[in-house]
Amino acid sequence: MTESVIAQQEAQPITLTVEGFGEIEAKSGERLTTALERGGVDILHRCGGVAKCTTCRVEFLEGEPDEMTVAEYDKLTEKELLNVARLSCQIHCAEGMSLRVLQTETSSGLERGKAISEEIQPEPQWTVRPGASTEG
Ligand code: FES
C-alpha cells in the first residue's frame, strides 16, 4: 500500500480538458467526479461515489494517474474494465488530465445518482494501476 502523493499536496487551481465539454476549472486533489459535475458535466455516479456501480467511468486521453485505489482495482477487475476505463470517483484531480466521460445522464437516460462526499470513499488504500509508468 502506498500513500496518495497528490492528496498530500495543497490544493492548487488546475484545468482539466474534457472531450465535448472543453476546459474545466478544478483543484488539485479534489475528486474528479466532483470537479466534472461542478464544471457542467452530467456524469453519472449511481452508487454515490463508493466504487460499486462503475457509472462514473472515464477514459483518459492524457495524464492518467498511476495510482489507483484498491476498491477501484477490484471493481474494474470484476467488471472486466481494467485497462479500459477508470472510475472518476476514485481519482484525485491533477494538472494535465485530459479525458472522455463515458456515461452521462444525457447519453444513458439515467439519473445521475445521489450526491458524493468530498473525500474518496471507501477510505482509500492505494495500489498502482497495471501498465503504470512507475510499475516494477
Ligand atoms: S460513482 Fe459508483 S463507482 Fe464511482
Side-chain angles (χ1 to χ4, degrees):
M1 173 174 42
T2 58
E3 293 291 321
S4 168
V5 175
I6 294 169
Q8 293 168 356
Q9 295 171 351
E10 199 172 325
Q12 301 288 335
I14 58 167
T15 303
L16 309 173
T17 304
V18 184
E19 190 177 84
F21 293 89
E23 294 193 338
I24 288 178
E25 301 301 316
K27 288 176 283 202
S28 60
E30 76 173 324
R31 294 182 88 172
L32 179 55
T33 317
T34 304
L36 291 169
E37 198 165 34
R38 193 181 59 243
V41 181
D42 57 339
I43 187 167
L44 298 181
H45 43 78
R46 303 275 294 172
C47 72
V50 295
K52 296 284 186 205
C53 69
T54 76
T55 62
C56 66
R57 68 185 70 169
V58 298
E59 178 185 349
F60 277 87
L61 307 177
E62 288 179 44
E64 180 173 357
D66 286 343
E67 65 178 10
M68 179 181 270
T69 68
V70 172
E72 180 184 8
Y73 181 91
D74 289 347
K75 182 53 67 174
L76 291 178
T77 301
E78 175 194 329
K79 298 291 186 181
E80 299 185 351
L81 288 169
L82 204 56
N83 291 325
V84 174
R86 295 291 304 263
L87 301 182
S88 64
C89 73
Q90 300 295 301
I91 292 173
H92 289 131
C93 290
E95 189 66 68
M97 287 181 168
S98 174
L99 55 105
R100 176 182 296 141
V101 175
L102 299 177
Q103 290 190 318
T104 63
E105 282 188 326
T106 305
S107 70
S108 69
L110 298 169
E111 292 183 9
R112 66 184 68 178
K114 59 187 176 184
I116 70 171
S117 67
E118 203 170 304
E119 304 296 329
I120 288 180
Q121 292 180 321
E123 177 76 30
Q125 296 182 355
W126 297 98
T127 185
V128 176
R129 69 177 170 87
S133 56
T134 55
E135 193 178 41

